[in-house]
Amino acid sequence: MRLSRTIAAALITTLTAPPALALAGEQTGTPAPEAAATPPEDPARARLKAEAIAGVERQGKLVQEMVDSVYSFAEPGFQEFQTMEYLTGILAKNGFKIERGVAGMPTAWIATWGNGGPLIALGSDVDGLLGLSQMPGSPELKPQVAGAPGHGEGHNSGMPLVIAAAIAAKQVMEKNKIPGRLLLWPGVAEELIGAKAYYVRAGLFNGVDACIFTHVASEFSTAWGDTGNNAAVSVEYTFHGKTAHAAGMPWEGRSALDAVELMNAGWNMRREHLPLSQRSHYVITDGGKQPNIVPDTASVWYYFRDTAFASVRHLFETGNTIAKAAASGTGTTVTQRTLGYAAPNFGNKPLAEAAWANIKAVGMPQWSAGDQAFAKSVQQANARELKPLASEISPLSTPDTREKSTGGGSDDIGDVMWTVPTITVRYPSNIPNMIGHNVLSAIAMATPIAHKGAVQGAKAVSATVIDLMTTPALIAAAKTFQQTVQFKDQRYDPLLTAEDKPATHLNAEVMERMRPKQKPFYYDPAKHRSYLEQLKVAYPAQ
């Protein structure tokens, strides 16, 4: 669709220069050094941003096709091969140079375009989750392929948003001869906290001036400061013992499974004496082969999480100590492998303020009566608290407006945040009051709700890219904030060593079994206007 003259005029009025760039003290209320003078209002920049927003609107059909296609591929971490081929193909057709297999990960890639000027990175996650296959548009829980992965976090929508925003910004920059460069990248294996720390270690963000990351939500928002996402480390402990006949000669054996169970018991006892902010959880990935053979190998996979670099390092070291004690107590030995890492999240204030001004200008999607009816039917069918799709954007989240975090989830975008000035833009492509990492969060992710939210998010991101490309003071302020506020008390301190490698073997066996069953469900946009149409799913559900 085209922007009406009334809407365009309103945008030109609203989309003025970014907000004040002088830095205030972050959480303490103490003043920080001034980064740059606030630039005057600039109608010319507002017109460029309105052009970019119109460019996103023209891509509405492409966004729908990308969101639905990636949903249909339903690939978990490190197995995003079909997703990679599809998305990089679209970018290559639009003039981006593609480099695949970056940072030692076969499904990781970057797409670059431009010359001179600022280098702005744009990224979002692309991986699904094991066992969360779900028929989109069905309020009731109904797997497409029993036991297969699915997009129960909504990661199928983020890179389509980013790609639409990048194409729109690129078109404006080419037309108006604006110097600048774009670097697009996917968050592969985010659910395994498996990639971004390796991206940073490989230097993918060297020379980047600022980064905008996006994540699916049911609201439209952004934040600055410590956003409460925990640091985390993913580590697998493998115990080595000795086999024996479990009934005839058990004394000849040394059970690696006993060591795993002893470690888990020791960790669970230690939890009582750890800070409330910590989160830790594990799965036994190898418990032996059969009951009458004393297991000579057994493995357990842990995530340790806490709010700061030092505290998650303490958890990691405590886990290592308990593992060694369990090995000693069972007459076994233990080896460990760090699989992934995530730094605590810290959003950049000048970038967040600029992005939030654009979020405020573009506003929420225009939900139809059908969209609201569908959201209500999903909530009712699954005993969730009723809450309509949001009609207003969320306030800018700051250290003064949000409650202090007592711990919770992680996102490895934190590693990028501690490397270059970065923010996360949360866009409204899902239904309120769903459960994360659950099939409930997949139901809406190939419906008009997901499509509209991604388009609206792309508008705000494209406008913010134009701000960054045309406002040197904004980039300067973002870098000053990072140096003087973010780095005041902490510096990037990852747990990865030079010997640690991405765990690209994960999920390979699952996809070898599941991909042939999933392929018949791949979306074909050449034959069907939407994925729901291909699946013969009525929307909203009748």
Side-chain angles (χ1 to χ4, degrees), residues 256-268 322 325-330:
L257 179 58
D258 285 350
V260 164
E261 292 184 304
L262 188 58
M263 177 181 180
N264 293 344
W267 183 262
N268 287 331
I322 292 174
S328 178
T330 54

Side-chain angles (χ1 to χ4, degrees), residues 507-524:
N507 298 327
E509 186 274 333
V510 170
M511 288 308 289
E512 185 177 352
R513 289 186 290 108
M514 289 297 177
R515 197 181 296 277
K517 300 177 183 180
Q518 293 176 248
K519 280 187 176 181
F521 289 93
Y522 285 2
Y523 174 44
D524 185 353

Side-chain angles (χ1 to χ4, degrees), residues 303-342:
Y303 279 13
F304 300 116
R305 311 182 197 240
D306 212 330
T307 55
F309 290 105
S311 52
V312 80
R313 183 178 288 276
H314 173 70
L315 294 179
F316 176 64
E317 292 171 348
T318 302
N320 296 344
T321 298
I322 292 174
K324 292 174 184 176
S328 178
T330 54
T332 62
T333 60
V334 62
T335 57
Q336 67 187 67
R337 178 181 177 184
T338 300
L339 302 179
Y341 179 78

Side-chain angles (χ1 to χ4, degrees), residues 41-174:
E41 293 186 357
D42 187 349
R45 185 185 304 113
R47 284 191 291 271
L48 295 174
K49 291 158 72 171
E51 284 182 31
I53 290 167
V56 169
E57 287 198 348
R58 288 192 295 270
Q59 297 177 82
K61 175 58 178 170
L62 175 61
V63 171
Q64 172 263 310
E65 291 181 0
M66 289 190 290
V67 168
D68 288 0
S69 293
V70 178
Y71 185 97
S72 75
F73 303 148
E75 296 174 304
F78 291 126
Q79 306 305 316
E80 309 97 336
F81 291 100
Q82 188 68 37
T83 301
M84 173 183 68
E85 291 300 323
Y86 175 72
L87 294 179
T88 58
I90 291 170
L91 285 163
K93 288 179 182 178
N94 282 277
F96 285 80
K97 179 182 177 182
I98 309 299
E99 182 182 351
R100 297 181 178 87
V102 298
M105 289 169 273
T107 60
W109 51 269
I110 58 172
T112 54
W113 170 84
N115 292 289
L119 176 57
I120 306 303
L122 305 174
S124 196
D125 299 324
V126 295
D127 57 325
L129 285 155
L130 297 180
L132 299 188
S133 176
Q134 169 64 23
M135 184 68 70
S138 168
E140 291 75 31
L141 304 187
K142 181 182 178 183
Q144 286 184 295
V145 177
H151 275 290
E153 177 80 355
H155 286 176
N156 59 299
S157 56
M159 281 309 296
L161 181 166
V162 163
I163 290 171
I167 292 172
K170 171 180 174 287
Q171 290 170 344
V172 171
M173 293 169 68
E174 288 174 324

Side-chain angles (χ1 to χ4, degrees), residues 220-265:
F220 202 4
S221 63
T222 191
W224 64 267
D226 181 350
T227 59
N229 287 80
N230 277 359
V233 60
S234 166
V235 56
E236 186 176 47
Y237 298 94
T238 298
F239 294 86
H240 310 271
K242 179 183 176 184
T243 64
H245 194 301
M249 303 176 68
W251 49 84
E252 292 290 343
R254 297 292 181 268
S255 174
L257 179 58
D258 285 350
V260 164
E261 292 184 304
L262 188 58
M263 177 181 180
N264 293 344

Side-chain angles (χ1 to χ4, degrees), residues 203-228:
L204 263 60
F205 296 95
N206 290 352
V208 170
D209 291 294
C211 178
I212 302 173
F213 182 70
T214 69
H215 198 282
V216 63
S218 60
E219 74 273 1
F220 202 4
S221 63
T222 191
W224 64 267
D226 181 350
T227 59

Side-chain angles (χ1 to χ4, degrees), residues 320-386:
N320 296 344
T321 298
I322 292 174
K324 292 174 184 176
S328 178
T330 54
T332 62
T333 60
V334 62
T335 57
Q336 67 187 67
R337 178 181 177 184
T338 300
L339 302 179
Y341 179 78
N345 287 193
F346 200 104
N348 186 275
K349 182 181 179 182
L351 294 186
E353 290 177 339
W356 190 77
N358 291 317
I359 290 170
K360 184 177 179 180
V362 302
M364 291 294 292
Q366 296 299 306
W367 307 119
S368 69
D371 296 332
Q372 293 286 8
F374 176 70
K376 184 177 180 179
S377 71
V378 173
Q379 293 165 350
Q380 288 177 325
N382 295 283
R384 307 303 298 167
E385 181 181 351
L386 296 183

